Amino acid sequence: MKFRYLIILISLNFLNAQSQSLYPNIGTEIMFQPEWAKKLYYDRIEVFKQDKLKFNQIVFLGNSITQGGKDWNKKFGVVGISNRGIAGDSTDGVIARLNEIIHFSPKAIFLLIGINDIYNELTPSTDYIANNILKIIKRINQESPKTKIFLQTILPVEKEIYKEKIIAVNEMIKTFVSQSKFEIIDLYSIFVNEDGRMKKELSYDGVHLNEKGYTVWVDYIKPTVLILANHN
């Protein structure tokens, strides 16, 4: 009886340790992460720990623009989509939390990340941002090869000073994807106006989307999502 109890205890400890290893610990150093973003990041990680992914789901992965979509299942009228957006997150932040994503072998991932890197003056360069984005999709593909990866281009913003950086990163990732097996979803092209800025009617602050903006996004990728959601 004591032996059986010991085995159960060891198993529970092992499972708990394994679960903890899926998520970055508080204090984990994330390159160029600003102080204001740290609490948002780890508060959201705690939510993820309580609401774990399931195997073979569709995962929306990104920053506040993804998180702001809230219940993506409701938006598409399906089940099996998990929202893994974190407000304030960056490419390095996503890299630090990939263990959870990879462990649960998603059916598909829709990645949208990079605008916070562009806004962050400490980020070394647009090359650094683009290379990090590619690092993310390459690692997912290497460790979860059955996962379909949809790389979404960074959305335009209202402020003129960020326009060229957004274009530069998007061009780099589009060039790479065009020569690979990954798929690009050019969200930038449907949100940008004739001046190279975010269409005013799709955002409430020039960066984040309003309900009309989310509707445009959902309508644009809905055929792809429905095929994935209805395929075992």
Side-chain angles (χ1 to χ4, degrees):
M1 192 69 176
K2 288 182 178 179
F3 179 74
R4 182 181 297 177
Y5 175 77
L6 182 61
I7 293 297
I8 293 172
L9 185 61
I10 291 172
S11 298
L12 289 173
N13 287 337
F14 173 77
L15 290 173
N16 184 59
Q18 185 185 47
S19 175
Q20 291 301 314
S21 70
L22 297 180
Y23 307 93
N25 296 317
I26 293 177
T28 298
E29 183 179 358
I30 296 174
M31 296 292 288
F32 312 114
Q33 186 182 49
E35 285 298 319
W36 64 266
K38 291 181 180 179
K39 187 176 188 305
L40 294 172
Y41 187 87
Y42 288 106
D43 283 353
R44 187 76 167 142
I45 292 295
E46 289 302 313
V47 172
F48 296 162
K49 288 179 181 179
Q50 300 304 315
D51 184 22
K52 291 183 174 62
L53 292 176
K54 296 178 178 64
F55 287 96
N56 203 38
Q57 288 188 305
I58 297 169
V59 175
F60 276 63
L61 179 60
N63 51 40
S64 58
I65 300 173
T66 295
Q67 183 178 347
K70 299 178 182 177
D71 188 350
W72 289 96
N73 291 291
K74 186 176 180 180
K75 280 181 164 50
F76 289 103
V78 299
V79 295
I81 302 177
S82 280
N83 186 331
R84 281 313 190 244
I86 298 182
D89 206 5
S90 63
T91 55
D92 283 301
V94 170
I95 289 170
R97 59 187 175 99
L98 280 180
N99 285 352
E100 182 206 28
I101 308 297
I102 291 167
H103 174 80
F104 287 99
S105 301
K107 179 186 295 185
I109 288 176
F110 288 81
L111 175 66
L112 175 60
I113 197 70
I115 191 60
N116 289 316
D117 301 72
I118 289 172
Y119 268 63
N120 188 348
E121 294 180 358
L122 297 177
T123 306
S125 65
T126 52
D127 283 351
Y128 180 88
I129 300 167
N131 286 332
N132 265 3
I133 294 171
L134 300 181
K135 188 184 297 183
I136 292 166
I137 64 174
K138 287 176 183 178
R139 186 181 163 203
I140 294 170
N141 179 249
Q142 182 178 8
E143 299 183 38
S144 184
K146 292 184 179 180
T147 299
K148 294 183 181 296
I149 301 171
F150 298 90
L151 178 55
Q152 299 170 114
T153 51
I154 300 171
L155 303 182
V157 296
E158 172 62 24
K159 292 185 177 179
E160 176 78 21
I161 59 173
Y162 300 113
K163 182 170 73 173
E164 294 306 318
K165 288 184 178 180
I166 292 171
I167 291 172
V169 174
N170 281 341
E171 287 305 312
M172 281 185 270
I173 62 176
K174 284 164 65 177
T175 298
F176 173 81
V177 170
S178 69
Q179 300 167 356
S180 72
K181 58 185 175 182
F182 304 114
E183 295 192 44
I184 198 85
I185 295 176
D186 193 8
L187 292 184
Y188 176 89
S189 66
I190 63 169
F191 282 92
V192 70
N193 65 17
E194 63 278 3
D195 298 320
R197 302 181 183 186
M198 169 72 77
K199 293 177 181 176
K200 289 184 181 296
E201 68 273 18
L202 302 182
S203 171
Y204 63 85
D205 63 357
V207 179
H208 300 92
L209 304 181
N210 56 26
E211 282 305 311
K212 186 174 181 180
Y214 280 110
T215 298
V216 167
W217 185 356
V218 168
D219 288 346
Y220 192 63
I221 66 174
K222 192 168 189 176
T224 301
V225 172
L226 292 183
I227 290 172
L228 290 165
N230 295 316
H231 181 71
N232 294 326

